[in-house]
Amino acid sequence: MAVELRKISSGDEGIDDSHKQLVDLATAISALCEAGDYHAISEDEMLHLFNISTTVFDLEQAAMEGLSYLRARDHLEEHEILVATIQSALGKVKTGSPALIKDAVSVMLFSISGHIETMDIPLADQISKKIRTPAVSTRRSFEPVHRPLTPPTPNRTDDRKAGNGGDDGASIKTIIVNSYASALLDLRASKGITGERAKTVAYEIVARAVNKATGKKISADFVKQIIISK
């Protein structure tokens, strides 16, 4: 989570302050993970992370609407994925199981870091350009609307449909296996992530990619089951 805040400095005070809080908290949680102190990650910290995240997501959405931002759809889709990822990690923290917490929180931190690098930096640049343009007013009134926090519920029906043994199911399984191998190689080459952590992150990446390409709703757990069964 060694993110340079200056890269996502937009000049919008609300967004920049929320980003700083988000990065500071995610960095603190990451340090606990690196020390293997998973029991020290509290529900309060995770709830705080959820609230900060949804605040900055709402502020960014308002900014994108004002910019007629071309990448808004992809950006907002990632927001929804991140909300679900954070909720899933919170659910694992509540179990008190170090193994479950390790996997879920590692995926969450990787997703947050990746989102900042690929989505927030380009958006911050566009917001900054708008603020620097004298003819454009940068003042607005906006009250963030927090999403209700609900426990994640895996969609078992959709998972079964994705792997029901028919032609479509066989095709999905083939895509999963091929995508998983590519994801592992990419994680090792571009991020230096290997071992069990790489597997956990790859399950999440493959699930997202398959869902986006096929319109299905398979979970990372389903991907893991397919890979293990091979």
Side-chain angles (χ1 to χ4, degrees):
M1 289 305 300
V3 178
E4 296 182 56
L5 284 172
R6 63 183 178 83
K7 289 185 178 180
I8 51 174
S9 177
S10 66
D12 183 300
E13 185 177 350
I15 292 176
D16 290 347
D17 180 64
S18 294
H19 264 146
K20 184 179 185 306
Q21 293 182 60
L22 174 61
V23 170
D24 286 347
L25 184 53
T27 300
I29 293 174
S30 180
L32 292 175
C33 290
E34 290 175 5
D37 196 5
Y38 300 105
H39 282 302
I41 303 173
S42 68
E43 291 183 33
D44 286 343
E45 284 179 310
M46 293 298 297
L47 285 170
H48 190 193
L49 181 67
F50 177 87
N51 289 331
I52 292 172
S53 299
T54 54
T55 293
V56 73
F57 292 168
D58 291 332
L59 288 168
E60 285 179 340
Q61 180 173 351
M64 285 187 279
E65 290 171 354
L67 290 168
S68 297
Y69 190 55
L70 295 178
R71 298 185 64 190
R73 181 176 179 180
D74 289 340
H75 200 123
L76 294 176
E77 284 181 354
E78 287 232 351
H79 282 177
E80 295 303 320
I81 292 172
L82 279 173
V83 167
T85 303
I86 295 171
Q87 286 183 321
S88 177
L90 172 60
K92 299 302 186 294
V93 168
K94 288 180 178 180
T95 68
S97 167
L100 294 178
I101 294 172
K102 177 182 178 181
D103 288 347
V105 172
S106 293
V107 170
M108 179 193 76
L109 293 173
F110 179 83
S111 298
I112 291 174
S113 178
H115 179 78
I116 289 174
E117 291 177 9
T118 61
M119 291 291 176
D120 285 347
I121 291 176
L123 176 59
D125 181 60
Q126 291 299 308
I127 295 173
S128 179
K129 287 178 180 178
K130 177 182 178 182
I131 289 176
R132 291 198 305 267
T133 303
V136 179
S137 173
T138 60
R139 298 185 63 187
R140 68 176 186 274
S141 174
F142 178 75
E143 184 70 25
V145 179
H146 293 290
R147 298 173 181 82
L149 181 59
T150 56
T153 54
N155 194 324
R156 301 299 183 187
T157 301
D158 287 328
D159 281 357
R160 287 195 297 270
K161 287 180 180 178
N164 58 13
D167 292 339
D168 184 51
S171 176
I172 291 296
K173 289 179 181 179
T174 300
I175 293 172
I176 287 173
V177 173
N178 293 338
S179 298
Y180 176 75
S182 297
L184 284 180
L185 290 173
D186 183 63
L187 287 170
R188 181 172 60 186
S190 64
K191 298 289 184 181
I193 301 175
T194 59
E196 290 302 316
R197 185 185 176 195
K199 293 179 182 179
T200 301
V201 174
Y203 297 147
E204 187 71 28
I205 291 174
V206 171
R208 294 181 190 176
V210 172
N211 290 341
K212 190 169 185 178
T214 66
K216 295 184 179 295
K217 294 181 181 179
I218 67 171
S219 66
D221 286 339
F222 177 74
V223 173
K224 180 178 180 179
Q225 292 170 15
I226 295 300
I227 298 302
I228 291 175
S229 67
K230 291 294 179 182

